[in-house]
Amino acid sequence: MRGVVFDGKNVEVVADLEVRDPGPGEVLVGIRAAGLCHSDLSVIDGTIPFPPPVVLGHEGAGVVEAVGEGVTHVAAGDHVALSTLANCGACADCDAGRPTMCRKAIGMPGRPFSRQGRPLFQFASNSSFAERTVVKAVQAVKIPADVPFPSAALLGCGVLTGVGAVLNRAKVARGDTVVVIGTGGIGLNVLQGARIAGALTIVAVDTNPAKEETARLFGATHFLGSAEGVREILPTGADHVFECVGHTGLVRTAIDLLDRHGQAVLLGMTAPKAEASFPPAAMFLDKAILGCRYGSSRPQKDIPLYAELYRTGALLLDELVTAAYPVEDFARAREDAEAGKVARGVLTF
């Protein structure tokens, strides 16, 4: 079968991948579409360390082909969106509704794939850049069959991360003020999360003026080419500032833009050893800096919710998909993503 493999130096679309059958508590999914997220690119450029060789992809949707022993919530033929959260379901964090904090869901990559007799790692417990993948049952979330696969694929990462950061982590309230730094795939979902939450003023900041129209479509009430103009719109600062770029200097910017009792939410992925600096005195007026893993999401609850919001028109998914590429055109999809030409490029199988 076809798939996108990174060997530690080069990326290649191969046609001779194999994947094992699902074991107990696992699901075999035939992938129909997969979003190309910057986290995949960060594996390739080394920002996210990951052992090679690895089958890339972590934002996908498809059809269940087979289930292992004990799996009852999905069956062959069901449409599913895949999460990257292979949580155990039995630890204290899972029991408390914090599956993103499950220690068994962090690290410990498996190797269900093989190629020419050699095992390959699975990226983010998912590897959706393959015609078929095996995931833990908890990762396969049933969705309505009328949600198109290219749009459904985005539910599993970009939407969970961006919308979830607003609703679950920051808990943006009606009437709040929000600044979103960076309007890529994650930033656009933060914008629409803020809109859904009822934020009154939503300022999008991006150096690319071509992104203004899309940012406003997703919920921005204002668009700026730099953060310097934010104080003209919000003289006392913002209730919530989301850093969606992964630049240490913008972490400081996010903090500087906060109002009293404001919170900066860090979503952009920096290099593991990168450091940011800010004056601690700036935090004394009840300000906060929040990390956020995967939108603090509960995928089995949140993905069906977001799918229904899409069906009612409240959540935009189709508009996120700027371009679709056959998996064989991965190189072009990667080039467009790195050049910032797409909100989300989607690979199709």
Side-chain angles (χ1 to χ4, degrees):
M1 67 179 186
R2 295 168 295 166
V4 180
V5 175
F6 177 58
D7 66 5
K9 294 182 180 180
N10 301 300
V11 183
E12 182 182 5
V13 180
V14 304
D16 56 352
L17 272 181
E18 296 181 0
V19 66
R20 62 171 174 77
D21 293 334
E26 293 182 332
V27 178
L28 175 67
V29 178
I31 299 296
R32 298 293 187 271
L36 176 54
C37 174
H38 276 278
S39 293
D40 299 298
L41 302 179
S42 293
V43 173
I44 296 170
D45 67 21
T47 301
I48 297 178
F50 203 89
V54 57
V55 181
L56 295 175
H58 65 285
E59 187 180 67
V63 178
V64 174
E65 295 190 358
V67 301
E69 180 183 353
V71 178
T72 59
H73 76 290
V74 292
D78 285 344
H79 289 205
V80 293
L82 302 183
S83 85
T84 68
L85 206 58
N87 57 296
C88 73
C91 67
D93 282 310
C94 287
D95 191 53
R98 297 188 297 265
T100 57
M101 295 296 101
C102 175
R103 284 170 171 78
K104 292 186 178 180
I106 302 174
M108 297 179 291
R111 294 195 288 184
F113 298 96
S114 63
R115 183 183 180 217
Q116 299 174 357
R118 183 183 181 188
L120 289 84
F121 284 104
Q122 184 174 38
F123 179 52
S125 302
N126 189 306
S127 290
S128 57
F129 292 173
E131 286 188 75
R132 294 178 185 84
T133 191
V134 169
V135 297
K136 289 185 65 173
V138 71
Q139 296 176 256
V141 184
K142 188 175 179 179
I143 57 173
D146 60 358
V147 181
F149 287 119
S151 297
L154 308 186
L155 289 169
C157 179
V159 175
L160 276 182
T161 300
V163 178
V166 174
L167 302 183
N168 300 330
R169 186 65 169 129
K171 301 186 186 304
V172 172
R174 184 170 299 278
D176 281 357
T177 57
V178 173
V179 175
V180 181
I181 302 175
T183 60
I186 299 300
L188 289 176
N189 280 297
V190 173
L191 288 173
Q192 68 173 335
R195 170 177 52 78
I196 290 169
L200 183 63
T201 303
I202 307 172
V203 183
V205 179
D206 200 295
T207 57
N208 185 351
K211 293 186 176 183
E212 179 173 0
E213 182 179 357
T214 304
R216 289 186 179 275
L217 174 65
F218 276 75
T221 59
H222 301 75
F223 184 93
L224 299 173
S226 76
E228 293 179 2
V230 171
R231 289 285 181 172
E232 295 180 14
I233 301 167
L234 300 171
T236 63
D239 297 315
H240 313 273
V241 181
F242 295 83
E243 199 285 328
C244 304
V245 178
H247 187 285
T248 55
L250 292 176
V251 172
R252 169 66 180 268
T253 299
I255 295 168
D256 289 345
L257 292 176
L258 293 177
D259 196 354
R260 297 183 178 195
H261 199 65
Q263 52 189 17
V265 185
L266 309 185
L267 296 179
M269 177 64 70
T270 64
K273 295 185 179 180
E275 296 183 357
S277 62
F278 64 93
M283 308 304 294
F284 290 159
L285 293 173
D286 285 357
K287 299 179 183 180
I289 301 172
L290 304 181
C292 184
R293 181 172 190 250
Y294 203 41
S296 301
S297 298
R298 297 149 297 176
Q300 289 289 344
K301 176 181 183 295
D302 291 345
I303 288 178
L305 169 62
Y306 299 158
E308 288 304 316
L309 289 173
Y310 164 77
R311 297 173 86 196
T312 65
L315 184 79
L316 305 181
L317 292 180
D318 302 342
E319 295 82 358
L320 282 168
V321 182
T322 310
Y325 311 81
V327 68
E328 291 82 3
D329 285 348
F330 175 80
R332 182 163 63 93
R334 175 188 175 186
E335 181 180 324
D336 287 351
E338 290 176 334
K341 294 181 180 179
V342 294
R344 243 335 176 252
V346 173
L347 301 179
T348 58
F349 291 86

